[in-house]
Amino acid sequence: GSSTRHSTNDSDGGSRGDGGRVYANISMASTTYHCQVHRQFQCVVFLREGGVAMTPAPFLSRFEKYLLPVQTFLDDRISLLSPACQRQVKEALHICDEFAKHMGAYPISKETGKCIGPSSFYGYQFGNTLPSLFFSHIKPPVDGEYLATFSLSSLAVRNIDKFLVGCSKTQQIVRCMCAELLQLMPPENFILRLHTLQEAEVYANIYFTGLDSSMCDLKDLVMHRIPPREGQQNQLRRHCS
């Protein structure tokens, strides 16, 4: 624990016109140390939102508090891209959010507009998962460069390039990000919604061959031998024209 006080006098008794020195009592176990603090010292503490309730109130009261959502960091990173790339990334982010919602990432009540029920994705957090994914793919400028770049490489999907052939840059970003999202989706949930996709064949190939080669045979079974549920239609619009 610690406490801070201001002194109007120097240690030798001389008066100071700048308001005096700043001291802090730093307590460690049963010992308290009287320490001088530099006038320009600043302390920033990062806490996860879920950990705030577990943090002692006296500690929190010593700080100004701000909520920093992932979207704030993403917006800052996007601003480092070229104007054309910024438009592509923002459009892709919107489409991926529609994709995630369509696939059941966060079921929304039509009456209240609030999230209801469990997500069809493992660990999906509305407002965090998708922005975090995009943030991780925007590489900041390196020495000698002025603009950031958007990386289409994927650690989750093998040979991602073959799924991007013939696509516009926005389509490439969408497919790459949606492919990353699908690794959070269990097979039963993916199969349940697969036939509602307009690009079902593409995402079936990504899911069953790009993510896990052991499920190649399952892809043929799902696409050609299991018919869509009654009433299922191609409900999701094609990702960018």
Side-chain angles (χ1 to χ4, degrees):
S2 67
S3 60
T4 306
R5 70 178 180 85
H6 295 263
S7 174
T8 58
N9 296 316
D10 283 327
S11 57
D12 61 359
S15 174
R16 288 174 56 93
D18 61 359
R21 297 179 178 179
V22 179
Y23 295 87
N25 292 323
I26 309 297
S27 300
M28 300 179 62
S30 60
T31 305
T32 299
Y33 300 90
H34 188 59
C35 305
Q36 183 179 344
V37 181
H38 194 280
R39 298 287 300 181
Q40 296 182 346
F41 172 79
Q42 296 182 355
C43 177
V44 179
V45 178
F46 288 93
L47 288 175
R48 293 185 180 275
E49 188 174 5
V52 173
M54 305 294 293
T55 306
F59 177 82
L60 291 176
S61 67
R62 296 181 181 275
F63 296 89
E64 295 182 15
K65 290 164 282 292
Y66 301 93
L67 182 63
L68 298 174
V70 179
Q71 187 67 46
T72 300
F73 297 96
L74 176 61
D75 291 341
D76 181 70
R77 186 64 64 86
I78 288 177
S79 69
L80 301 177
L81 297 166
S82 67
C85 193
Q86 287 186 41
R87 291 191 296 270
Q88 293 164 348
V89 170
K90 289 178 180 178
E91 183 180 2
L93 179 61
H94 173 72
I95 295 172
C96 288
D97 183 63
E98 291 294 315
F99 176 88
K101 182 166 61 176
H102 178 83
M103 297 298 281
Y106 52 101
I108 299 295
S109 169
K110 294 182 179 179
E111 291 75 20
T112 64
K114 296 182 179 180
C115 184
I116 57 173
S119 173
S120 61
F121 289 74
Y122 291 125
Y124 191 95
Q125 293 184 357
F126 175 71
N128 284 328
T129 300
L130 193 57
S132 295
L133 181 59
F134 269 74
F135 181 86
S136 68
H137 279 263
I138 301 178
K139 308 304 179 185
V142 296
D143 293 341
E145 296 182 353
Y146 296 97
L147 298 174
T149 56
F150 194 95
S151 171
L152 290 172
S153 62
S154 173
L155 297 178
V157 185
R158 291 182 298 276
N159 302 317
I160 185 63
D161 291 344
K162 71 179 182 180
F163 299 112
L164 308 180
V165 176
C167 297
S168 67
K169 183 58 180 293
T170 302
Q171 286 177 313
Q172 291 178 351
I173 296 173
V174 168
R175 285 193 181 178
C176 184
M177 297 298 96
C178 288
E180 296 272 356
L181 280 178
L182 288 179
Q183 69 176 315
L184 302 176
M185 198 172 195
E188 61 272 18
N189 289 344
F190 177 72
I191 292 171
L192 185 65
R193 294 170 172 82
L194 175 61
H195 289 290
T196 69
L197 295 174
Q198 195 165 7
E199 293 186 322
E201 184 78 26
V202 172
Y203 285 106
N205 278 316
I206 289 175
Y207 190 86
F208 293 116
T209 65
L211 292 175
D212 189 346
S213 59
S214 67
M215 295 196 295
C216 291
D217 294 337
L218 185 59
K219 179 253 180 180
D220 178 66
L221 175 67
V222 171
M223 290 302 299
H224 304 293
R225 302 183 188 180
I226 299 180
R229 292 186 304 166
E230 184 178 354
Q232 275 189 335
Q233 299 176 346
N234 293 340
Q235 301 167 357
L236 188 64
R237 66 184 176 86
R238 184 175 297 276
H239 301 324
C240 305
S241 57

